[in-house]
Amino acid sequence: MAIYLFFDGTARAALDFYAETLGGEVGTLMRFADVPPGPDMPPVPAHMQDRLMHGVMRFDDQVIMASDTMQDDAETEHKGFFIQIARDTPEAARAIFEALAAGGEITMPFAETFWARGFGLCSDRFGIRWMVNCDK
């Protein structure tokens, strides 16, 4: 399974941030300007040519894919889900949590709980919600 996220002009920056934060690597990147015109692709407005049509970032055995919208008023609020990431040590989990939360919002500070050696909830600066966990 892979995660596919949509952004309003920040998809490339988000993939770069996730690669740096999660120790991954950005792979495929295709801008809307790179797409050949044809009957299955509507014309792309000039101001959206550099937006990311499709991008891939891999870390561990996971994949995050992303795209920017082609609509100026597109809905890109990320609700109804969290991306969950686990690490083997509380220190490693806390480091990822703090990096993801920087510039974002902490919902539940990273701390020991009755079910985990460390757990926290945050939204990153792109509005993506994360659960960071280190099991007992």
Side-chain angles (χ1 to χ4, degrees), residues 5-117:
L5 303 171
F6 288 88
F7 297 90
D8 190 19
T10 60
R12 174 64 195 265
L15 288 179
D16 288 342
F17 172 69
Y18 300 144
E20 180 180 334
T21 301
L22 302 172
E25 186 173 310
V26 175
T28 302
L29 293 172
M30 183 181 290
R31 299 173 309 134
F32 282 106
D34 300 328
V35 178
D40 54 339
M41 186 64 188
V44 178
H47 70 284
M48 296 193 176
Q49 293 284 316
D50 286 332
R51 286 183 175 227
L52 195 62
M53 188 200 91
H54 176 70
V56 176
M57 191 282 296
R58 297 178 188 283
F59 71 102
D60 299 339
D61 292 332
Q62 306 299 314
V63 176
I64 295 177
M65 293 183 276
S67 179
D68 287 313
T69 64
M70 272 189 36
Q71 303 158 344
D72 286 322
D73 60 349
E75 176 65 42
T76 56
E77 192 170 9
H78 302 97
K79 290 186 171 185
F81 71 93
F82 282 84
I83 299 175
Q84 194 273 344
I85 186 163
R87 288 295 179 247
D88 293 334
T89 67
E91 296 79 19
R94 180 182 297 280
I96 286 177
F97 178 83
E98 289 174 357
L100 289 169
E105 182 178 327
I106 294 174
T107 306
M108 180 179 175
F110 190 87
E112 186 172 354
T113 66
F114 68 88
W115 71 85
R117 293 185 291 159

